[in-house]
């Protein structure tokens, strides 16, 4: 048995979600774990420490091109004859996972939040976070996309070896025209802490409250649907059933009522803090901690308390 | 297009948690697929051409399919089978899709959230695929596409044929009117049998997220107490 993990990197560093994927693979206890990276990045030690026994480094391919990357990963998987390919369930991961599954004729599960159980089932998030399903993958080969923030990063003292694998990268037919990175921002799906604002914040001019608090906690910012519909915030921040589903360790909701469609996207958060002036707001029923109060009064004090701490 | 429980549905399961409880549930066209359909119509109107909706499911989806036709699709194809998983759906659609210039799926269905049909179709058809698309313009068989990536957006260019998946922001969904609803009744809804494919996955059981223990309230005059509690629990 053998497992191949694609470790996403950013600015030469392994991404946290990528390391979680390696740890996941190691904990499957299903054979040798090979980590796969593209381009220059941190050394062997870092992936060995979290459970990889070998590392394949493919030459830099320029910007992330899903067609090229999936073809390269599929070639390495075939070459090493692996049974399972593990990928993070990021936008990039969700782009390549189905392509790889198609190329390898493997069974696919995305949104995976558990290790395989004794029956070989994995748990995946369904109904936009409102439920979980236990799924058995039938294929001899499998592709698993792992939800960020679902697994701890192991601390092993293993050694790893470099492996050489030749791949042929052909043009995938998609040409990049322009890259618009939101620099300095933590991607919402991978953030450990998320601060989210709703209609209760009255207007886009008040978002400094959210951003100041986010700065103190090194958090990503999110919003409810009406907030992005009214263009107070970019739609990429919209969480919920028709937006992004997130699973941070801490979700702080400010001036959000807690409608069922909103809760769907955020209820997998480990800890939920709700700040709302209405004690009857439904969100309090889904919260771990709450403050009944006016956001314009509470949030600056909260930010201040964090700054002084 | 897929047909999913309305977004206000309280999710519950029956038969020892092995089946979704459809009691009292209203089924709708998957919200992302309404965007896909509307964008398809805009592209067809600008370039000449027609839009076909394709669905894998039983006759219980016919009302939703008629809705798609009333939004403006010229015809519908329903592959008569239970949609077992994303891979089953993609394999059923692929032989039909290969006759077209472009396939637009939703970013994901809001029931199974696989987000995979677009990429699977791309692999099966050997077409490029681009997911979570927020803008598409087609001219001279070339598509200019904007899509969401981790931490940003990028603009891409690709020759047709291509598979893309629709993300919010792509367009405003079209609302059918009386006339288009009447017209939709006359449009062809072709039912075709499923092809034989290997079943890649089996859904065994379902469960709901654990209920919260009850909220701990902190006085609004003392938000610092919240910071203390979060620190104590090692949450921050
Ligand atoms: C098909 C469909 C899909 C949907 N998908 C989503 C989705 O994905 N995500 C989503 O978020 N919504 C979604 N919705 C919308 C959802 O039903 C709610 O309308 C929405 O979540 C409400 O947003 P909100 O909480 O920001 O606003 P409101 O419901 O207006 O709530 C504002 C809250 O702010 C509080 N407040 C006001 N002033 C203050 C103050 N000064 N200090 C503190 N609190 C204050 C109020 O007490 C209130 O609870 C969807 C709806 C439909 C029909």
């Amino acid at each position: 048995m053998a497992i191949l993990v694609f470790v996403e990197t950013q600015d030469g560093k392994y991404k946290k979600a990528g390391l979680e994927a390696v740890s996941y693979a190691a904990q499957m206890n299903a054979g040798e774990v090979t980590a796969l990276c593209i381009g220059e990045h941190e050394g062997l030690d870092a992936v060995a420490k979290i459970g990889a026994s070998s590392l394949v480094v493919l030459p830099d391919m320029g910007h992330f091109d899903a067609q090229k990357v999936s073809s390269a990963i599929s070639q390495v998987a075939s070459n090493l004859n692996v049974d399972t390919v593990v990928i993070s369930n990021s936008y990039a991961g969700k782009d390549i996972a189905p392509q790889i599954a198609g190329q390898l004729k493997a069974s696919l599960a995305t949104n995976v939040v558990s290790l395989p159980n004794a029956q070989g089932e994995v748990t995946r998030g369904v109904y936009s976070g409102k439920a979980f399903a236990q799924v058995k993958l039938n294929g001899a080969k499998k592709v698993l996309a792992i939800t960020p923030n679902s697994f701890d990063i192991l601390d092993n003292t293993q050694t790893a070896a470099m492996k050489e694998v030749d791949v042929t990268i052909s043009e995938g037919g998609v040409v990049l025209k322009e890259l618009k990175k939101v620099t300095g921002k933590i991607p919402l799906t991978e953030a450990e802490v998320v601060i989210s604002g709703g209609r209760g914040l009255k207007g886009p001019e008040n978002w400094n409250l959210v951003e100041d608090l986010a700065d103190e906690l090194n958090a990503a910012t999110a919003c409810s649907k009406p907030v992005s519909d009214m263009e107070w915030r970019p739609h990429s921040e919209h969480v919920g059933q028709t937006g992004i589903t997130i699973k941070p360790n801490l979700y702080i909701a400010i001036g959000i009522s807690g409608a069922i469609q909103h809760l769907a996207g955020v209820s997998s958060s480990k800890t939920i803090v709700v700040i709302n002036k209405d004690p009857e707001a439904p969100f309090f029923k889904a919260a771990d901690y709450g403050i009944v109060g006016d956001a314009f009064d509470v949030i600056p004090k909260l930010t201040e308390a964090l700054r002084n701490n | 297009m897929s047909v999913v429980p309305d977004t206000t549905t309280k999710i519950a399961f029956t038969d020892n948690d092995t089946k979704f409880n459809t009691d009292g549930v209203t089924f709708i066209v998957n919200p992302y697929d309404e965007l896909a359909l509307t964008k398809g119509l805009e592209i067809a109107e600008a370039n000449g051409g027609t839009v076909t909706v394709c669905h894998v499911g039983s006759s219980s989806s016919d009302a939703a399919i008629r809705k798609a036709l009333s939004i403006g699709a010229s015809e519908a194809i329903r592959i008569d089978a239970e949609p077992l998983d994303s891979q089953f759906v993609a394999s059923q659609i692929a032989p039909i899709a290969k006759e077209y210039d472009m396939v637009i799926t939703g970013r994901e269905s809001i029931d199974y959230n696989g987000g995979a049909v677009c990429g699977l179709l791309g692999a099966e058809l050997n077409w490029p695929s681009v997911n979570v698309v927020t803008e598409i313009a087609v001219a001279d068989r070339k598509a200019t596409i904007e899509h969401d990536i981790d931490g940003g957006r990028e603009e891409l260019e690709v020759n047709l044929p291509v598979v893309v998946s629709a993300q919010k922001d792509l367009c405003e969904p079209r609302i059918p009117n009386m006339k288009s609803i009447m017209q939709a009744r006359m449009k062809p809804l072709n039912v075709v049998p499923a092809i034989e494919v290997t079943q890649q996955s089996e859904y065994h059981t379902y469960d709901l997220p654990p209920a919260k223990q009850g909220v701990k309230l902190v006085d609004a005059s003392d938000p610092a107490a919240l910071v203390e509690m979060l620190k104590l629990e090692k949450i921050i």
Side-chain angles (χ1 to χ4, degrees), chain B residues 17 22 47 65 82-83 140 157 160:
Chain B
D17 291 335
T22 55
N47 291 267
I65 295 175
E82 275 309 305
D140 301 330
E157 207 171 74
L160 301 189

Side-chain angles (χ1 to χ4, degrees), chain A residues 67 106-108 110 121 124 127-128 130 132 134 136 138 175 177-178 180 182 228 235 242 288 290, chain B residues 9 32 87 111-114 129 146 151 153 155 157 168-169 200 202-205 207 212 216 218:
Chain A
Q67 328 293 316
S107 300
L108 170 71
T110 55
E121 301 164 340
R124 59 180 303 269
Y127 297 101
S128 310
K130 287 181 190 170
F132 296 98
Q134 280 75 44
K136 172 108 198 293
N138 294 331
V175 182
K177 303 294 282 184
E178 197 189 346
K180 300 173 190 166
V182 191
S228 72
H235 90 96
T242 50
D288 299 285
Chain B
T9 308
Y32 294 112
Q87 293 182 285
D111 52 1
Y112 282 78
N113 311 109
S129 62
E146 250 191 41
R153 241 179 218 194
E155 194 183 301
E157 207 171 74
K168 200 193 151 197
D169 253 23
Q200 297 284 3
E202 286 163 30
Y203 280 76
H204 288 168
T205 50
D207 48 40
K212 289 281 177 189
K216 294 192 189 77
V218 175

Side-chain angles (χ1 to χ4, degrees), chain B residues 123-139:
Chain B
E124 201 144 329
L125 296 167
N126 210 7
W127 293 2
S129 62
V130 183
N131 71 350
V132 282
V133 164
T134 54
E135 228 175 281
I136 323 171
V138 177

